[in-house]
């Protein structure tokens, strides 16, 4: 999550004034009473108001860098970044994927035509939870190896390529 915090902050600091204003407006939409912080209750209200049924308390905690139970503007930025970029969510359990995750290579290759990929957290991939619900269960790569392979970069000798 730390990398996501850093990336969101870097994008914000290098953004146009218009994009910065949009991020500020997003924060204010969550901080309805204007006290400068988003409690877990406000976070839940935001999700419910926007049509989401499930809120992961661990996701809130991962955004709360200082652990005070409230999200300040810079702690909300990664969430805004996830929403604006479409984020990556585990297609089996639904958690937000931060850091390393596994992607179906066939779906990745066809993403332009279909508009989405099939991604799994490490826990769901290791437990093979996808094998009964996903047609391309034979070939997944982790997000780092996948990007290297698709960029035509040589994989390190002995780098894992898992099938199954």
């Amino acid at each position: 999550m730390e990398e996501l915090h850093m990336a969101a902050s870097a994008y914000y600091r290098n953004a146009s004034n218009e994009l910065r204003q949009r991020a500020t407006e997003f924060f204010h939409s969550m901080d309805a009473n204007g006290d400068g912080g988003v409690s877990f209750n406000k976070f839940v209200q935001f999700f419910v108001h926007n049509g989401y049924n499930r809120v992961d308390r661990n996701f809130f905690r991962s955004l709360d860098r200082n652990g005070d139970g409230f999200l300040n503007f810079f702690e909300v930025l990664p969430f805004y970044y996830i929403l604006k970029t479409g984020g990556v969510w585990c297609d089996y359990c639904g958690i937000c994927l931060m850091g390393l995750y596994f992607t179906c290579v066939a779906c990745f290759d066809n993403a332009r035509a279909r508009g989405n990929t099939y991604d799994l957290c490490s826990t769901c991939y290791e437990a093979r939870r996808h094998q009964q619900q996903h047609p391309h269960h034979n070939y997944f790569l982790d997000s780092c190896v996948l990007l290297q392979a698709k960029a035509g970069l040589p994989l390190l000798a002995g780098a894992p390529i898992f099938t199954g």
Side-chain angles (χ1 to χ4, degrees), residues 46-104:
F46 177 84
F47 269 78
V48 169
H49 179 74
N50 287 286
Y52 296 97
N53 306 353
R54 186 172 159 254
V55 180
D56 183 358
R57 184 175 284 276
N58 290 326
F59 180 59
F60 178 86
R61 286 183 186 133
S62 68
L63 293 171
D64 185 12
R65 291 172 97 179
N66 63 8
D68 66 356
F70 294 90
L71 303 179
N72 64 35
F73 175 76
F74 284 98
E75 291 171 325
V76 168
L77 269 180
F79 178 50
Y80 180 69
Y81 173 82
I82 289 167
L83 290 177
K84 287 302 181 184
T85 60
V88 180
W89 306 85
C90 178
D91 284 299
Y92 189 86
C93 71
I95 67 165
C96 182
L97 299 173
M98 296 167 280
L100 195 66
Y101 58 90
F102 291 84
T103 297
C104 171

Side-chain angles (χ1 to χ4, degrees), residues 100 141-150 155 159-161:
L100 195 66
L141 290 175
D142 70 66
S143 50
C144 293
V145 171
L146 178 67
L147 291 175
Q148 289 177 343
K150 293 302 172 183
L155 297 177
I161 303 289

Side-chain angles (χ1 to χ4, degrees), residues 5-6 8 23 27-28 32 34 48 69 74 103 110-111 116 119 147 155 164:
H5 276 282
M6 291 171 49
F27 175 75
H28 291 304
V48 169
F74 284 98
T103 297
N110 294 319
N116 62 352
D119 307 294
L147 291 175
L155 297 177

